[in-house]
């Protein structure tokens, strides 16, 4: 069992029980990068020539991402790591936590480089209703994890999965991808190319976070079939759909008017497309049935690689066969 109170006997790395976790740890270590390896001088020149709406989009994105990296780390430290027994999963989470810290520093570097009102940028997430709503949604799930839950009980295991779905699937797997798409869209228009390279490194990390989280959820559901009731499956699907609704409101604030090539409708269609992929990866059917409006992102986000990974790793998660 991957979930539970760790015993002394769980503190041996060998034999490894969850090879996927150890493989992801080694892959994550091989992906190590540092923000200051990327020079942003050219991008600063691009930034100065951009319209106010374009600059607002970049600033608003950084304002959401910067605290989000720390919020993900809190969930890993308080809501995930303490409830796992497998040392190979702990190794991976230690590296993921460093990566989230590194992403926070990367976005700091962008905020320092571009002529932005930093004070204002740091406060945006505390003052913007659509971001406050996103953060409140997250805190609700992590809050439950700090209320002395019994991880051996059905309700404790369900709380763990709810929290993981909120942080890993909704926040990292949908909201972050939406932001990455917007950030990378500037490169489609020959702007902010080095910033885009930085985002490429972040996306590479986040795609492993997503693989780890999905594998963890699917492993828990396989090992604890008693938690997978139709009601619980419906609840999980509803968490994903609520996440999409919160992101729609946020994208209106990101693009009050739209910029060249991208507006809120375009981003929200991408959000629905990505949400359907996440639902399928969890074993549900697609809900929104939208076409990917940003075909150029298919290579960026390696969605197909992700799907193949789970075809190879995971076989019989069928929690929702009759529940929708
Ligand atoms: Mn991150
Ligand atoms: Fe992450």
């Amino acid at each position: 069992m991957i979930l539970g109170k760790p015993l002394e006997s769980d503190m041996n790395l060998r034999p490894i029980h969850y090879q996927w976790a150890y493989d992801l740890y080694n892959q994550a270590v091989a992906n190590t990068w540092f923000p200051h390896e990327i020079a942003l001088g050219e991008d600063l020149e691009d930034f100065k020539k951009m319209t106010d709406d374009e600059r607002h989009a970049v600033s608003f994105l950084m304002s959401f991402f910067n605290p989000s990296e720390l919020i993900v780390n809190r969930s890993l430290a308080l809501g995930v790591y303490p409830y796992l027994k497998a040392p190979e999963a702990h190794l991976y989470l230690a590296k993921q936590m460093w990566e989230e810290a590194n992403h926070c520093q990367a976005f700091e570097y962008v905020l320092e480089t571009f002529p932005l009102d930093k004070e204002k940028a740091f406060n945006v997430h505390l003052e913007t209703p659509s971001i406050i709503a996103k953060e409140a949604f997250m805190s609700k799930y992590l809050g439950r994890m700090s209320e002395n839950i019994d991880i051996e009980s059905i309700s404790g295991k369900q709380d763990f999965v709810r929290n993981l779905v909120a942080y890993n699937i909704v926040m990292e797997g949908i909201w972050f991808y939406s932001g990455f798409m917007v950030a990378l869209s500037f490169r489609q228009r020959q702007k902010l190319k080095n910033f885009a390279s930085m985002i490429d490194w972040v996306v590479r990390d986040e795609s492993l976070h997503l693989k780890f989280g999905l594998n963890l959820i699917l492993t828990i559901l396989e090992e604890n079939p008693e938690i997978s009731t139709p009601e619980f499956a419906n609840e999980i699907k509803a968490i994903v759909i609520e996440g999409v609704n919160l992101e729609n409101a946020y994208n209106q604030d990101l693009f009050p008017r739209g910029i060249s090539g991208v507006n809120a409708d375009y981003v929200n269609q991408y959000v629905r497309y990505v949400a359907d992929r996440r639902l399928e990866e969890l074993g549900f059917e697609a809900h929104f049935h939208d076409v990917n409006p940003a075909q150029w992102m298919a290579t960026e986000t390696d969605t197909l690689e992700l799907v193949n990974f789970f075809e190879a790793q995971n076989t019989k998660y069928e929690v929702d066969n009759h529940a929708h």
Side-chain angles (χ1 to χ4, degrees):
M1 292 286 221
I2 201 163
L3 206 55
K5 292 196 189 89
L7 308 170
E8 297 305 313
S9 55
D10 292 316
M11 292 300 123
N12 289 335
L13 180 58
R14 307 283 176 179
I16 287 172
H17 296 288
Y18 302 94
Q19 190 62 41
W20 54 267
Y22 194 56
D23 290 346
L24 283 171
Y25 171 70
N26 286 305
Q27 202 179 337
V29 169
N31 284 356
T32 300
W33 61 279
F34 301 97
H36 287 84
E37 292 171 329
I38 298 158
L40 291 174
E42 266 178 77
D43 301 59
L44 176 58
E45 293 312 308
D46 291 343
F47 188 84
K48 289 177 185 163
K49 287 181 226 143
M50 282 164 36
T51 66
D52 286 346
D53 282 344
E54 287 176 318
R55 279 198 284 256
H56 165 77
V58 173
S59 171
F60 196 78
L61 276 179
M62 293 301 104
S63 300
F64 168 70
F65 269 110
N66 201 13
S68 292
E69 302 292 349
L70 303 176
I71 290 170
V72 170
N73 257 356
R74 271 181 61 78
S75 169
L76 297 177
L78 306 177
V80 182
Y81 193 114
Y83 301 104
L84 298 183
K85 287 155 74 88
E88 57 272 33
H90 289 155
L91 287 187
Y92 179 77
L93 289 169
K95 180 58 168 66
Q96 181 180 346
M97 288 188 70
W98 177 78
E99 287 164 6
E100 305 300 8
N102 196 47
H103 298 169
C104 177
Q105 293 295 291
F107 297 131
E108 287 265 314
Y109 172 42
V110 175
L111 284 166
E112 278 163 21
T113 303
F114 294 166
L116 295 165
D117 182 341
K118 287 165 214 30
E119 183 83 15
K120 196 173 148 215
F122 289 135
N123 284 323
V124 163
H125 80 112
L126 302 173
E127 292 162 358
T128 308
S130 61
I131 304 185
I132 293 171
K134 283 168 86 168
E135 291 182 358
F137 171 78
M138 288 298 145
S139 310
K140 184 176 66 187
Y141 293 104
L142 186 55
R144 270 192 244 176
M145 299 308 292
S146 8
E147 284 164 16
N148 238 342
I149 64 159
D150 175 6
I151 198 61
E152 315 281 346
S153 69
I154 290 180
S155 72
K157 289 170 187 171
Q158 289 180 333
D159 276 336
F160 184 94
V161 173
R162 286 183 191 103
N163 182 61
L164 200 53
V165 168
Y167 280 88
N168 188 256
I169 305 298
V170 173
M171 191 173 206
E172 296 194 279
I174 300 176
W175 295 353
F176 283 11
Y177 276 74
S178 160
F180 297 150
M181 189 274 272
V182 174
L184 291 169
S185 73
F186 288 95
R187 179 168 57 197
Q188 293 298 105
R189 298 186 302 280
Q190 312 300 323
K191 288 175 186 168
L192 305 183
K193 286 185 209 162
N194 302 293
F195 172 62
S197 300
M198 177 185 282
I199 298 293
D200 285 340
W201 298 127
V202 176
V203 171
R204 192 176 63 173
D205 292 340
E206 294 298 340
S207 73
L208 294 197
H209 303 172
L210 193 52
K211 283 177 184 174
F212 181 85
L214 275 164
N215 251 340
L216 182 54
I217 293 166
L218 298 175
T219 298
I220 291 167
L221 292 170
E222 278 187 10
E223 291 181 345
N224 304 277
E226 72 280 8
I227 71 173
S228 297
T229 63
E231 293 74 23
F232 188 61
N234 281 336
E235 206 192 321
I236 294 301
K237 191 173 173 184
I239 292 173
V240 175
I241 291 166
E242 191 185 348
V244 169
N245 294 334
L246 288 164
E247 186 67 9
N248 286 347
Y250 165 88
N251 284 323
Q252 299 297 339
D253 289 337
L254 178 64
F255 289 121
R257 280 169 293 272
I259 59 176
S260 162
V262 185
N263 60 25
D265 289 344
Y266 179 93
V267 183
N268 287 334
Q269 185 176 335
Y270 180 72
V271 167
R272 295 192 299 272
Y273 166 80
V274 170
D276 272 350
R277 304 289 81 73
R278 300 297 168 254
L279 286 169
E280 287 171 351
E281 285 150 8
L282 287 170
F284 295 101
E285 283 178 17
H287 177 77
F288 298 102
H289 305 286
D290 277 281
V291 176
N292 182 2
Q295 293 291 336
W296 53 271
M297 273 296 282
T299 49
E300 302 284 358
T301 57
D302 69 4
T303 307
L304 292 175
E305 192 196 319
L306 195 67
V307 173
N308 291 340
F309 182 88
F310 285 102
E311 279 169 3
Q313 291 287 324
N314 185 60
T315 45
K316 51 176 189 303
Y317 172 46
E318 295 171 344
V319 71
D320 189 53
N321 273 356
H322 308 285
H324 49 103

